[in-house]
Amino acid sequence: KQEVTQIPAALSVPEGENLVLNCSFTDSAIYNLQWFRQDPGKGLTSLLLIQSSQREQTSGRLNASLDKSSGRSTLYIAASQPGDSATYLCAVSFRDDKIIFGKGTRLHILP
Amino acid sequence: DTGVSQDPRHKITKRGQNVTFRCDPISEHNRLYWYRQTLGQGPEFLTYFQNEAQLEKSRLLSDRFSAERPKGSFSTLEIQRTEQGDSAMYLCASSLPISGRSYNEQFFGPGTRLTVL
């Protein structure tokens, strides 16, 4: 069964710190991987998409890496800010259509 | 705003009633997806369309659920005889797969939050 797991489920860090969110998946034959942000009661905002042939993507203070052989991805957030507080979801496409999501990591940045 | 839109944003209904949600995808996108998200969980795939064809339905989509995309543009998701367990956020996404490339980035709408009393 294809599954996506995110650890930790929740994380609180002081403002200004760098942090890493982890995502693991059971099948290395992925199509692509996306990281999303979700604010409470809201929809999903796409942060980064990594194609299966890529190893990382960067956008501003965010960097996502992909290691297919080990079935892992990380989302690195530099110099965290209170506005980064949200749930971060990892989503894996094992084919070119539907996405399988992890349960997310709830991030709280302490001012 | 040229993003994915959903209507209504919130729906409260009594058990046993029928509800219908609408999703308008990004105009040039030919794929449209429906997901359901319950509290504390990630979204779960329900079904998707390529143009007007419904290509896959999840086991989560019971006989009480039906989705349509009659003209290959907007889509509707209907739930008949709602149950309290149907309470969730229903998310719609759209994409434009690029042939030969592992792209197919999905763009999500704001969701419809359903509460069944």
Side-chain angles (χ1 to χ4, degrees):
Chain A
K1 180 181 178 184
Q2 294 163 333
E3 294 183 343
V4 179
T5 303
Q6 291 188 248
I7 295 173
L11 181 64
S12 293
V13 299
E15 180 179 1
E17 285 198 3
N18 303 327
L19 60 98
V20 174
L21 307 181
N22 297 293
C23 172
S24 61
F25 43 93
T26 54
D27 186 343
S28 63
I30 71 169
Y31 205 73
N32 62 44
L33 185 148
Q34 278 184 264
W35 283 93
F36 292 89
R37 169 184 173 138
Q38 186 174 34
D39 293 289
K42 306 294 185 181
L44 278 63
T45 300
S46 180
L47 298 173
L48 291 164
L49 179 145
I50 308 177
Q51 299 178 39
S52 62
S53 59
Q54 298 175 324
R55 296 187 68 87
E56 67 175 348
Q57 283 284 349
T58 298
S59 176
R61 294 182 294 109
L62 305 179
N63 176 276
S65 68
L66 174 64
D67 184 344
K68 287 194 303 179
S69 61
S70 65
R72 294 179 182 178
S73 175
T74 61
L75 179 66
Y76 175 84
I77 302 177
S80 58
Q81 303 171 358
D84 295 332
S85 298
T87 295
Y88 290 80
L89 292 159
C90 173
V92 179
S93 292
F94 293 102
R95 304 176 334 205
D96 71 341
D97 44 36
K98 69 180 181 181
I99 288 175
I100 297 178
F101 284 85
K103 293 184 178 181
T105 294
R106 295 186 309 280
L107 177 63
H108 182 47
I109 305 301
L110 305 168
Chain B
D1 187 351
T2 57
V4 179
S5 61
Q6 293 186 244
D7 183 70
R9 297 290 304 276
H10 304 274
K11 178 70 177 179
I12 300 174
T13 191
K14 293 182 178 180
R15 187 177 55 186
Q17 298 294 305
N18 300 340
V19 295
T20 299
F21 310 141
R22 176 178 170 128
C23 172
D24 286 88
I26 294 172
S27 60
E28 66 268 24
H29 285 185
N30 61 353
R31 283 197 180 167
L32 187 149
Y33 306 79
W34 285 100
Y35 294 84
R36 181 174 70 185
Q37 185 179 26
T38 54
L39 198 63
Q41 303 295 314
E44 295 173 293
F45 170 81
L46 292 179
T47 187
Y48 88 97
F49 294 83
Q50 179 153 313
N51 300 312
E52 65 275 9
Q54 189 172 17
L55 296 188
E56 186 171 344
K57 296 196 297 185
S58 163
R59 292 171 299 171
L60 295 174
L61 217 62
S62 74
D63 292 344
R64 298 184 295 105
F65 289 71
S66 62
E68 295 183 345
R69 195 183 184 198
K71 298 182 179 179
S73 56
F74 73 91
S75 174
T76 57
L77 177 68
E78 180 183 16
I79 308 174
Q80 296 181 328
R81 304 180 304 281
T82 52
E83 302 172 356
Q84 288 184 322
D86 297 331
S87 295
M89 174 80 88
Y90 290 84
L91 295 162
C92 175
S94 71
S95 71
L96 179 64
I98 300 175
S99 178
R101 294 175 56 185
S102 58
Y103 199 53
N104 195 28
E105 183 174 6
Q106 295 191 18
F107 295 87
F108 281 77
T112 294
R113 179 166 296 282
L114 173 66
T115 302
V116 181
L117 303 175

